Amino acid sequence: MTIAQALQQFYKDNNFAKDGGESEDTFELKFKFFTLKLPNSQFRKDVIHIHDIQHILYNCDTTWKGESFIAGWEIATGLWKHLPIGLMSLWAMGFCLLNYPKEVLLGYKAGLNCKGIIDLKISKDDLLNLSINELKEKITKKKSIKINTFQWVIFVLWAAVSQLIFLFPIILLAIVLLIS
């Protein structure tokens, strides 16, 4: 099965548009008690297929539990380097650490042994024409990394950064209220 075929099945199974919402002007973030409708920026449109492919590779659903694994995986593979989408991943990691910390850690551990799909620097068409197994081969690092003390320290630092990014609006509001 090609990535393109798997994506179409993923979109169908999750009631997404045929292009995953890439052509839409907005997207929704669903929470337990409310949904946020946000602008679908060009940088998000350019990489949403990559994010969705990650869900397919790791058989993660689109609940916050599945997003937790993906957020950890994205940070471990270096998606944070690709601003501004990296900030979205850090925000998601911060939110997910409060809800599904185990899944974030599992995703992070899996990501340590992978190259980010975005870092393969292949065209979207070439990516979509790969089989799932071919893509897994391309992203798997040759040398396996076990989580050691150094990796734990790095994970904790990313966890702290992600919490700061997630909580930034609240921190900013608190500062404004304290000043006024």
Side-chain angles (χ1 to χ4, degrees):
M1 175 180 284
T2 66
I3 296 293
Q5 293 166 325
L7 264 179
Q8 286 309 304
Q9 188 61 50
F10 176 78
Y11 294 151
K12 182 180 176 188
D13 292 347
N14 289 285
N15 297 316
F16 294 156
K18 285 186 184 243
D19 66 354
E22 187 178 316
S23 61
E24 296 176 12
D25 293 332
T26 60
F27 72 100
E28 294 181 345
L29 279 180
K30 296 179 182 181
F31 298 92
K32 190 171 187 173
F33 298 112
F34 63 94
T35 299
L36 287 177
K37 193 172 205 172
L38 300 169
N40 196 13
S41 60
Q42 189 59 49
F43 70 83
R44 183 180 181 278
K45 290 177 181 183
D46 291 342
V47 297
I48 192 63
H49 67 284
I50 293 173
H51 178 83
D52 294 338
I53 290 167
Q54 294 162 179
H55 279 274
I56 293 165
L57 290 178
Y58 289 96
N59 197 27
C60 292
D61 60 29
T62 59
T63 66
W64 280 111
K65 187 174 182 179
E67 294 295 344
S68 297
F69 182 95
I70 298 302
W73 190 89
E74 287 177 342
I75 297 308
T77 61
L79 187 67
W80 54 269
K81 299 179 289 193
H82 301 277
L83 296 176
I85 199 66
L87 290 174
M88 290 180 78
S89 289
L90 281 165
W91 181 93
M93 182 178 178
F95 175 76
C96 293
L97 276 169
L98 299 175
N99 296 286
Y100 298 100
K102 180 180 174 186
E103 297 302 318
V104 174
L105 180 59
L106 289 172
Y108 187 85
K109 286 179 177 180
L112 289 175
N113 292 298
C114 296
K115 294 178 236 171
I117 296 170
I118 198 168
D119 293 321
L120 294 177
K121 305 257 191 262
I122 58 177
S123 72
K124 182 177 178 180
D125 287 338
D126 288 342
L127 177 61
L128 295 178
N129 284 317
L130 293 173
S131 72
I132 292 172
N133 288 335
E134 288 171 327
L135 181 57
K136 284 181 180 180
E137 286 176 24
K138 285 186 179 291
I139 65 169
T140 301
K141 290 181 179 175
K142 305 227 182 300
K143 185 178 177 190
S144 181
I145 297 174
K146 302 268 191 259
I147 195 154
N148 56 26
T149 303
F150 176 73
Q151 291 300 333
W152 275 109
V153 169
I154 299 298
F155 176 75
V156 169
L157 289 173
W158 279 123
V161 168
S162 71
Q163 288 301 295
L164 285 173
I165 289 172
F166 172 68
L167 296 171
F168 179 75
I170 297 168
I171 294 167
L172 187 61
L173 181 61
I175 291 170
V176 168
L177 290 174
L178 286 173
I179 292 173
S180 50

